[in-house]
Amino acid sequence: MSKKIVVALGGNAILTDVPTAKAQKDAVRQTAEYLVNFVQDGHDLIVTHGNGPQVGNLLLQNAAADSEKNPAFELDSLVAMTQGSIGYWLQNAMRQALADEGIEKQVVSLVTQVQVDPKDSAFENPTKPIGPFLSEEDAKTEMDQGNGTFVEDAGRGWRKVVASPKPQNIVEYPVVESLINSGFVTISAGGGGIPVVSEGKGYKGIEAVIDKDFAASKLAELVDADYLIILTGVNNVFVNWGKPDQTKLEDVTVAELKKYISEDQFAPGSMLPKVEAAIEFVENSKNGKAIITSLENANKLFSGEGDVTTVVK
């Protein structure tokens, strides 16, 4: 039976150790070969993706070229630019992968705005590092000039930090629904979406970075997806990770995951946001399930062969 599936791609699905455009396109082509299995099986596919390394590199390029005649762009515009470039790579790769399997299907990437609350507590305590490393002196000069908050980062220098608020709404989700209902494979909410706040009858960009897994969770909720699939570097979520009694989770309830979170079982900035995003979707959806696993397992999820973590109510 056909399912509506939102897939959140991890960074390893796009970026290898070589940050060139060619290397990233090659990685995306390999990713598309896994994703095409969902379409082959008759499912409706919505793809979301991260952009952390890409937007960081673009920020560096803008900072290096910043001048009166060529001013650097603001962060929301940089997110939009990486949404466009990665979406373009994915769109082309998916079209080719589908054609290779003899499937005639349109693929579209959608520049997507994600609404956040300007009063989100994340704006009072920015924690997401972006951009280049600076000396302490240069960082303090930037702060004195009102150019944001900078913190020392793991002994490597000082970096600007921005807020990472929770998504409240996907502005273009009705468009995503319409595209899916018309039979399109849709790429949307890339990089967590372009962060915007409501202003009058429209929206304006704001300096922030939205976690891609939370954005995917919100999108899956709004389009009433059957599954949210969060792809990462491992097949399963584990408790007691790295210890002799390390245990993989297979079928797990929201209540069990909340208990593990209270025990600090999941690393912040790594597995924790994925688990929290899965919980949010399952709690807020009608009958949806969330799966956390590796990209390599993507073609085995519904065959009973895949080794995955499935989150249910």
Side-chain angles (χ1 to χ4, degrees):
M1 183 177 177
S2 175
K3 303 292 184 183
K4 187 183 294 183
I5 299 172
V6 173
V7 174
L9 295 177
N12 62 322
I14 302 170
L15 187 65
T16 63
D17 293 334
V18 181
T20 64
K22 181 182 183 303
Q24 291 179 79
K25 288 179 183 178
D26 288 342
V28 165
R29 274 195 291 271
Q30 294 176 12
T31 296
E33 291 173 4
Y34 286 104
L35 295 180
V36 76
N37 286 282
F38 293 119
V39 182
Q40 280 183 302
D41 291 340
H43 303 303
D44 295 324
L45 180 62
I46 302 166
V47 181
T48 71
H49 60 82
N51 72 338
Q54 293 85 1
V55 80
N57 289 342
L58 190 55
L59 191 75
L60 286 171
Q61 293 166 13
N62 268 250
D66 186 28
S67 66
E68 184 176 346
K69 292 184 177 180
N70 185 32
F73 284 12
E74 295 179 341
L75 185 56
D76 58 313
S77 293
L78 300 183
V79 172
M81 292 167 73
T82 54
Q83 249 194 37
S85 59
I86 298 171
Y88 153 63
W89 297 338
L90 275 167
Q91 183 174 313
N92 273 358
M94 282 298 299
R95 286 178 67 95
Q96 184 62 57
L98 289 165
D100 288 344
E101 297 298 329
I103 301 172
E104 293 186 10
K105 201 170 186 69
Q106 292 293 325
V107 185
V108 63
S109 51
L110 181 68
V111 175
T112 315
Q113 301 172 96
V114 176
Q115 185 179 0
V116 300
D117 183 352
K119 296 182 180 179
D120 191 304
S121 60
F123 288 106
E124 299 173 8
N125 181 34
T127 58
K128 184 70 173 179
I130 62 169
F133 289 94
L134 303 179
S135 68
E136 181 176 359
E137 180 181 358
D138 287 344
K140 289 182 175 178
T141 298
E142 291 289 330
M143 287 190 282
D144 289 342
Q145 293 176 351
N147 292 329
T149 301
F150 289 72
V151 299
E152 197 277 329
D153 186 2
R156 296 175 293 172
W158 287 60
R159 294 180 77 190
K160 185 174 184 176
V161 288
V162 298
S164 185
K166 289 288 187 69
Q168 301 294 307
N169 183 40
I170 311 293
V171 177
E172 287 81 15
Y173 90 84
V175 182
V176 176
E177 280 191 311
S178 178
L179 289 167
I180 283 294
N181 291 338
S182 298
F184 287 71
V185 173
T186 307
I187 302 159
S188 58
I194 303 163
V196 297
V197 295
S198 178
E199 183 178 67
K201 295 182 179 180
Y203 301 93
K204 70 172 182 178
I206 193 167
E207 185 166 273
V209 173
I210 302 168
D211 183 275
K212 68 170 177 60
D213 294 318
F214 284 115
S217 176
K218 176 59 67 175
L219 179 60
E221 172 197 336
L222 291 170
V223 302
D224 194 23
D226 296 292
Y227 284 90
L228 167 65
I229 299 174
I230 299 175
L231 298 180
T232 184
V234 293
N235 290 348
N236 296 84
V237 179
F238 288 80
V239 293
N240 300 320
W241 174 256
K243 299 178 181 179
D245 58 345
Q246 169 180 303
T247 304
K248 68 181 178 183
L249 302 179
E250 295 178 304
D251 293 322
V252 60
T253 67
V254 165
E256 289 170 330
L257 284 179
K258 287 183 175 180
K259 177 178 178 292
Y260 292 136
I261 289 173
S262 72
E263 298 170 354
D264 296 325
Q265 287 282 358
F266 311 120
S270 178
M271 188 56 74
L272 180 59
K274 301 180 190 307
V275 170
E276 290 177 330
I279 289 172
E280 283 198 4
F281 169 65
V282 172
E283 285 189 323
N284 295 326
S285 68
K286 294 176 182 176
N287 296 296
K289 296 180 181 179
I291 292 174
I292 302 175
T293 192
S294 66
L295 175 65
E296 291 72 21
N297 260 339
N299 62 341
K300 303 176 183 177
L301 296 185
F302 304 116
S303 66
E305 300 174 7
D307 190 14
V308 307
T309 295
T310 303
V311 183
V312 297
K313 287 183 180 176

